[in-house]
């Protein structure tokens, strides 16, 4: 299966913001560009990038822009346990995430079936299911290579 990632990041940021029904402001534009360059960023990460191009931006305005984008469906917020919320522009494809417990690297993994909900529980107890979010926790190849002694048998974590 060769489905291209459905980034909303293609094209003019102003047009993307307007298409979501939002007014274009400098912080919003900078936030969008930041997320395009660096998906799975926390609000703090986004802020650090944005102040470089728009020094007058406050952390609060970054939070506001992210929240507006999330409400407009432009941005997806994921909330891995014990971590700050992370934001990305890849929305509406119900993809999942691999997160490294060592370095915190977050990677996308495609939804198994290509549509939400990707997974269904053995018993949905009458719920009408909309989404399933899966976070796969583990050690990324870089971290595994850096400390082979601590991870003697990474193959054991794979499916057989
Ligand atoms: Zn890692
Ligand atoms: Zn993602």
């Amino acid at each position: 299966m060769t489905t291209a990632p459905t980034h909303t990041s293609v094209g003019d940021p102003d047009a993307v913001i307007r298409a979501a029904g939002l007014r274009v402001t400098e912080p919003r534009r900078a936030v969008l560009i930041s997320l395009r360059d660096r998906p799975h960023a926390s609000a703090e990460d986004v802020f650090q990038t944005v102040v470089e191009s728009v020094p007058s931006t406050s952390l609060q305005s970054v939070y506001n822009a992210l929240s507006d984008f999330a409400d407009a469906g432009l941005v997806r917020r994921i909330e891995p346990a014990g971590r700050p919320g992370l934001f990305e522009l890849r929305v509406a494809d119900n993809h999942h995430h691999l997160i490294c417990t060592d370095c915190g690297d977050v990677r996308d993994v495609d939804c198994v079936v290509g549509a939400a909900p990707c997974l269904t529980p053995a018993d949905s107890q009458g719920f009408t299911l909309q989404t399933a979010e899966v976070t796969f926790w583990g050690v990324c190849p870089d971290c595994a290579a850096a400390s082979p002694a601590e991870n003697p048998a990474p193959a054991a974590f794979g499916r057989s």
Side-chain angles (χ1 to χ4, degrees), residues 21-84:
L22 297 169
R23 199 164 54 84
V24 177
T25 63
E26 205 158 18
R28 280 178 180 160
R29 182 190 296 124
V31 165
L32 190 74
I33 292 168
S34 166
L35 282 178
R36 182 153 73 177
D37 294 341
R38 184 181 169 184
H40 310 123
S42 69
E44 281 279 355
D45 296 333
V46 173
F47 174 67
Q48 296 302 335
T49 313
V50 166
V51 283
E52 284 171 23
S53 55
V54 191
S56 60
T57 310
S58 66
L59 180 59
Q60 187 58 47
S61 67
V62 168
Y63 273 111
N64 292 345
L66 288 168
S67 155
D68 292 342
F69 285 168
D71 289 348
L74 204 56
V75 152
R76 175 174 165 192
R77 179 190 171 102
I78 59 166
E79 296 182 294
R83 313 235 165 174

Side-chain angles (χ1 to χ4, degrees), residues 2-149:
T2 54
T3 42
T6 53
H7 291 276
T8 49
S9 52
V10 194
D12 175 25
D14 290 10
V16 171
I17 293 167
R18 275 194 218 99
L22 297 169
R23 199 164 54 84
V24 177
T25 63
E26 205 158 18
R28 280 178 180 160
R29 182 190 296 124
V31 165
L32 190 74
I33 292 168
S34 166
L35 282 178
R36 182 153 73 177
D37 294 341
R38 184 181 169 184
H40 310 123
S42 69
E44 281 279 355
D45 296 333
V46 173
F47 174 67
Q48 296 302 335
T49 313
V50 166
V51 283
E52 284 171 23
S53 55
V54 191
S56 60
T57 310
S58 66
L59 180 59
Q60 187 58 47
S61 67
V62 168
Y63 273 111
N64 292 345
L66 288 168
S67 155
D68 292 342
F69 285 168
D71 289 348
L74 204 56
V75 152
R76 175 174 165 192
R77 179 190 171 102
I78 59 166
E79 296 182 294
R83 313 235 165 174
L86 305 177
F87 299 86
E88 64 181 333
L89 292 171
R90 187 177 164 179
V91 295
D93 67 347
N94 197 220
H95 72 273
H96 308 292
H97 295 99
L98 292 158
I99 303 184
C100 178
T101 51
D102 279 8
C103 69
D105 190 24
V106 181
R107 300 193 193 174
D108 287 338
V109 269
D110 287 341
C111 169
V112 177
V113 298
C118 175
L119 305 169
T120 47
D123 178 3
S124 61
Q125 303 184 46
F127 278 51
T128 302
L129 298 175
Q130 281 141 0
T131 60
E133 274 185 39
V134 181
T135 304
F136 301 93
W137 297 91
V139 179
C140 75
D142 291 347
C143 290
S147 55

